[in-house]
């Protein structure tokens, strides 16, 4: 890395941390600073409730991360973690965690210690399974595990009775656990780009379900008896090898099988059109940075003095 650029980046980070510490700020955004190591000074910001340290190059978190006893919202997306950070066990008060876009192959049983979680994003993490301990997250309302290699869901997921939003797009799923109908708070379910060729009967028993995404699956047909039990659910069946959709289109206006239907539906119900689109992005967490640009300006003032750090070859 260019030594001047490295110097500027490190000092920008230190300036932001020092300012947050001095002001006892509760929110801090340190995303996209090319951080390779977690800044030790950051552990002194014990007042933080929200920390965004995504889009860096971190591979581990400090063992003493538990010092941040007030931290509730943590974004670690787009780093280089190849395993679930053990230090997260010491943050049982976390409400939101975003670990998306890291080569983490297993959330491990440690995920079960984060019993205050309400939102968990683990999109594009190379996951092949979810641990049974995910069932310990009894307060969880939103779970996103898009773009992984999940072929089966753990039975423990059926314990998440407060879950409202579940997006498992682009996996290898073809069925759900037998007690899936215990998820009676579920409103939005996204199984786009999986291997389903039927709608499991326990999905039709979800009384609060309003949106079911089944695009790009393997449906050849769907019994009318199943669809008739889901008249209150908007079901997106685009891009399935359905043999015929004429009867479905006529009898079940809530079922989308053509792009024309989708356009008509979203234009008629503009308030829900965003729900018909993709599920929430993995970056939906709000880490408003209340700081001004003065920190960067202070560092940039020092650029003329940096020549002494240059190394000529």
């Amino acid at each position: 890395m260019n030594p001047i650029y490295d110097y500027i980046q490190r000092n920008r980070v230190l300036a932001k941390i020092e300012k947050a510490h001095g002001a006892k700020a509760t929110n801090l955004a340190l995303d996209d600073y090319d951080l390779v190591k977690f800044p030790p000074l950051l552990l002194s910001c014990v007042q933080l409730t929200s920390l965004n340290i995504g889009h860096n190059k971190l591979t581990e978190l400090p063992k003493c991360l538990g010092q941040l006893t007030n931290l509730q919202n943590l974004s670690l997306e787009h780093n280089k973690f190849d395993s679930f950070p053990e230090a997260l066990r010491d943050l049982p008060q976390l409400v939101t965690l975003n670990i998306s876009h890291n080569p983490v192959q297993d959330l491990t049983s440690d995920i079960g210690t984060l019993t205050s979680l309400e939102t968990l994003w683990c999109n594009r993490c190379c996951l092949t399974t979810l641990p049974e301990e995910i069932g310990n997250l009894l307060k969880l309302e939103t779970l996103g595990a898009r773009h992984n290699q999940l072929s089966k869901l753990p039975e423990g997921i059926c314990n998440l009775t407060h879950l409202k939003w579940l997006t498992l797009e682009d996996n290898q799923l073809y069925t759900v656990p037998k007690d899936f109908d215990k998820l009676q708070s579920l409103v939005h379910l996204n199984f786009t780009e999986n291997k389903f060729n039927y709608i499991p009967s326990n999905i039709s028993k979800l009384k609060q379900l309003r949106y079911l995404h089944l695009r790009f699956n393997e449906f050849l047909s769907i019994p009318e008896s199943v669809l008739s039990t889901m008249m209150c659910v908007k079901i997106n069946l685009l891009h399935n090898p359905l043999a015929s959709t004429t009867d479905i289109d006529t009898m079940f206006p809530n079922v989308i099988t053509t792009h024309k239907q989708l356009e008509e539906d979203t234009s008629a119900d503009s308030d829900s059109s965003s729900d018909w689109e993709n599920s929430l992005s993995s970056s939906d967490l709000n880490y408003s940075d209340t700081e001004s640009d003065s920190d960067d300006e202070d560092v940039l003032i020092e650029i003329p003095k940096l020549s002494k750090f240059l190394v000529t070859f």
Side-chain angles (χ1 to χ4, degrees), residues 41-75:
L41 184 61
L42 191 50
L43 295 171
S44 66
C45 298
V46 294
Q47 72 288 343
L48 285 179
T49 59
S50 296
L51 173 63
N52 182 353
I53 199 165
H55 293 268
N56 284 291
K57 300 176 182 179
L58 301 177
T59 59
E60 60 182 359
L61 296 176
K63 293 181 179 180
C64 48
L65 189 65
Q67 294 179 24
L68 301 179
T69 55
N70 292 304
L71 193 62
Q72 295 183 356
N73 308 301
L74 177 61
S75 179

Side-chain angles (χ1 to χ4, degrees), residues 158-172:
C158 301
N159 296 337
L160 308 181
T161 56
H162 287 87
L163 197 63
K164 297 178 180 179
W165 195 295
L166 177 60
T167 175
L168 296 166
E169 180 179 346
D170 189 19
N171 279 282
Q172 302 296 315

Side-chain angles (χ1 to χ4, degrees), residues 64-304:
C64 48
L65 189 65
Q67 294 179 24
L68 301 179
T69 55
N70 292 304
L71 193 62
Q72 295 183 356
N73 308 301
L74 177 61
S75 179
L76 300 170
E77 64 176 336
H78 288 279
N79 273 284
K80 296 185 179 297
F81 296 102
D82 59 9
S83 61
F84 191 75
E86 292 185 7
L88 292 178
R89 291 182 301 187
D90 298 322
L91 296 174
Q93 76 280 5
L94 278 183
V95 175
T96 59
L97 173 63
N98 188 348
I99 196 168
S100 299
H101 295 270
N102 281 282
V104 175
Q105 297 185 15
D106 187 0
L107 296 182
T108 76
S109 60
D110 288 344
I111 192 66
T113 65
L114 304 180
T115 54
S116 296
L117 276 185
E118 296 178 7
T119 300
L120 172 61
W121 292 111
C122 48
N123 299 320
R124 209 178 291 276
C125 279
C126 305
L127 299 175
T128 56
T129 61
L130 294 177
E132 284 292 339
E133 288 79 5
I134 203 165
N136 296 347
L137 310 183
L138 300 181
K139 296 182 179 180
L140 202 65
E141 296 182 359
T142 298
L143 172 58
R146 290 172 162 182
H147 310 300
N148 285 291
Q149 293 297 316
L150 303 175
S151 59
K152 185 179 180 181
L153 295 177
E155 294 291 337
I157 202 171
C158 301
N159 296 337
L160 308 181
T161 56
H162 287 87
L163 197 63
K164 297 178 180 179
W165 195 295
L166 177 60
T167 175
L168 296 166
E169 180 179 346
D170 189 19
N171 279 282
Q172 302 296 315
L173 299 168
Y174 57 91
T175 190
V176 296
K178 61 183 178 62
D179 290 329
F180 200 73
D181 55 340
K182 289 183 177 180
L183 303 181
Q184 287 298 323
S185 297
L186 203 59
V187 174
H188 190 118
L189 179 58
N190 189 343
F191 280 137
T192 294
E193 290 187 75
N194 278 277
K195 302 295 183 181
F196 285 88
N197 59 21
Y198 75 105
I199 298 178
S201 60
N202 43 14
I203 289 182
S204 66
K205 297 176 182 178
L206 299 173
K207 303 301 184 184
Q208 300 302 316
L209 190 65
R210 293 296 177 268
Y211 300 96
L212 176 59
H213 291 263
L214 292 169
R215 294 173 298 158
F216 293 102
N217 274 271
E218 299 179 356
F219 290 91
L220 296 175
S221 63
I222 302 180
E224 293 177 7
S225 58
V226 174
L227 295 178
S228 64
T229 64
M230 305 181 70
M231 297 296 291
C232 294
V233 184
K234 290 185 177 181
I235 305 173
N236 192 331
L237 283 170
L238 283 172
H239 303 290
N240 276 279
L242 293 166
S244 174
T245 64
T246 304
D247 291 341
I248 294 177
D249 297 343
T250 302
M251 299 176 61
F252 304 101
N254 58 307
V255 179
I256 303 296
T257 61
T258 67
H259 284 287
K260 181 178 180 181
Q261 287 175 292
L262 180 61
E263 292 170 0
E264 291 174 351
D265 182 83
T266 53
S267 62
D269 186 5
S270 59
D271 290 337
S272 65
S273 61
S274 59
D275 288 322
W276 257 131
E277 299 298 329
N278 292 325
S279 302
L280 289 170
S281 70
S282 63
S283 306
D284 75 323
L285 307 181
N286 181 14
Y287 297 98
S288 319
D289 190 359
T290 56
E291 303 167 12
S292 68
D293 295 329
S294 59
D295 298 329
D296 290 345
E297 292 171 0
D298 292 342
V299 174
L300 292 174
I301 290 173
E302 299 298 316
I303 288 180

